[in-house]
Amino acid sequence: MRWVLLLAASCAWGQTFEAAPATVRQGETIRLRAAAAAVEARMGGRVVPLFAQADGSRAGLMPVPVDHAPGQHSIEFLDASGGVLHSAAATVRDGRFATQNIVIAPSKTQVKPSPGEMEAVAALRATVSPVRHWEEPFALPVPGCMNSPFGVQRLHNGKPTGNYHRGVDQRGPKGRAIRAVAAGEVKIARMFNIHGGTVGIDHGQGVTSFYLHMSRFAVKEGAMVKKGEVIGYVGATGFATGPHLHWGLYVNGVPVQPRQWVKLAPCAAVKKKAGKR
């Protein structure tokens, strides 16, 4: 993934602050690097941690939610007392997310979450563990194209849901191997009513990934996996209209655009208003 330099400002004490890219779309991620004195960064009302690096600097990731207001915004690097060490402008552009209608069978509309399902998923999304396991580039979990993109506004049977697609869907026959996009610890490997067969991985320092609708698992909770390791198999379990893989990336609790982290092209036959959840 290419990250374009936003700023490299040498301060009075000879330290450098960097953030990249200079301009992002809604749903993308800004990478931060700062002097050792900076322990957090703030953009609007969102504060993210900065982690110590081997070279003495600190680094972190600032997610830009899909509903973040377009325009000029300030990124502030904060010390332990909350004081601003440095600030710079960042530009957020409209993500231009399409609308997508999903045809749902009546039987699917009656599906309710498993006990503890939503809580378990929410807890992992919000996890920010201190050890970084991931390295770039990330890998695709299954080969092939994308038949439902990140960020589209979802309609079910023509009716607005108020939700947007928090990951991407990739085509895949039932039983195809699914691989971890990066190294990390498996925190969830369970069969749920809504998410179906789900694996959730903590990659460290605020990055988590989810893989849904699996037919079966190849890992257990607590396992450490490497990038590209098989973690399960494509299925159509849970709230799904057919065999496919829904997968998503979260940065500091916010769903972000996976295509900023991996190369993934849309399927040629995909139409803007059709697809799978």
Side-chain angles (χ1 to χ4, degrees):
M1 172 178 52
R2 295 184 62 187
W3 297 88
V4 182
L5 183 64
L6 171 63
L7 61 98
S10 295
C11 301
W13 55 87
Q15 300 289 355
T16 297
F17 293 85
E18 298 176 354
T23 299
V24 292
R25 293 188 181 275
Q26 293 166 314
E28 293 185 339
T29 303
I30 299 172
R31 174 171 300 210
L32 309 171
R33 186 170 288 272
V39 298
E40 294 178 324
R42 179 171 61 207
M43 183 175 178
R46 186 173 305 281
V47 177
V48 301
L50 301 175
F51 297 92
Q53 306 297 303
D55 63 1
S57 67
R58 286 183 175 266
L61 299 168
M62 178 65 72
V64 180
V66 296
D67 58 356
H68 196 100
Q72 292 289 115
H73 298 273
S74 178
I75 298 177
E76 298 172 319
F77 294 89
L78 311 176
D79 63 19
S81 64
V84 178
L85 296 173
H86 192 83
S87 63
T91 301
V92 176
R93 292 183 177 174
D94 191 328
R96 299 184 179 277
F97 300 115
T99 298
Q100 187 177 51
N101 182 51
I102 308 299
V103 178
I104 305 296
S107 61
K108 290 290 185 181
T109 63
Q110 305 302 314
V111 176
K112 303 297 182 183
S114 304
E117 174 177 351
M118 308 311 286
E119 292 82 358
V121 172
L124 180 52
R125 289 172 177 170
T127 295
V128 182
S129 55
V131 178
R132 172 175 162 171
H133 302 292
W134 58 273
E135 297 293 342
E136 294 178 80
F138 280 19
L140 280 176
V142 294
C145 59
M146 168 187 67
N147 63 340
S148 185
F150 171 85
V152 290
Q153 302 298 310
R154 279 295 172 78
L155 287 77
H156 287 172
N157 299 332
K159 297 180 180 180
T161 64
N163 294 324
Y164 65 91
H165 202 210
R166 289 169 168 79
V168 296
D169 290 349
Q170 283 189 262
R171 290 179 177 174
K174 183 177 179 179
R176 171 170 285 173
I178 299 168
R179 301 176 184 275
V181 299
E185 181 179 359
V186 176
K187 292 291 190 178
I188 297 175
R190 306 180 207 171
M191 190 64 67
F192 292 131
N193 288 347
I194 298 292
H195 296 85
T198 301
V199 168
I201 300 176
D202 174 18
H203 301 288
Q205 298 190 355
V207 181
T208 57
S209 63
F210 289 82
Y211 314 78
L212 312 184
H213 310 306
M214 292 184 177
S215 58
R216 57 192 178 95
F217 307 117
V219 291
K220 295 181 179 180
E221 293 180 3
M224 297 299 299
V225 295
K226 299 177 180 179
K227 181 177 76 172
E229 186 173 336
V230 175
I231 57 175
Y233 301 89
V234 171
T237 55
F239 195 79
T241 57
H244 71 288
L245 172 65
H246 169 99
W247 67 278
L249 292 174
Y250 285 72
V251 169
N252 290 313
V254 177
V256 297
Q257 173 63 271
R259 294 179 71 189
Q260 196 185 14
W261 297 76
V262 296
K263 293 182 178 180
L264 180 58
C267 297
V270 172
K271 297 180 180 179
K272 288 185 178 180
K273 295 187 179 181
K276 294 178 179 177
R277 184 180 186 279

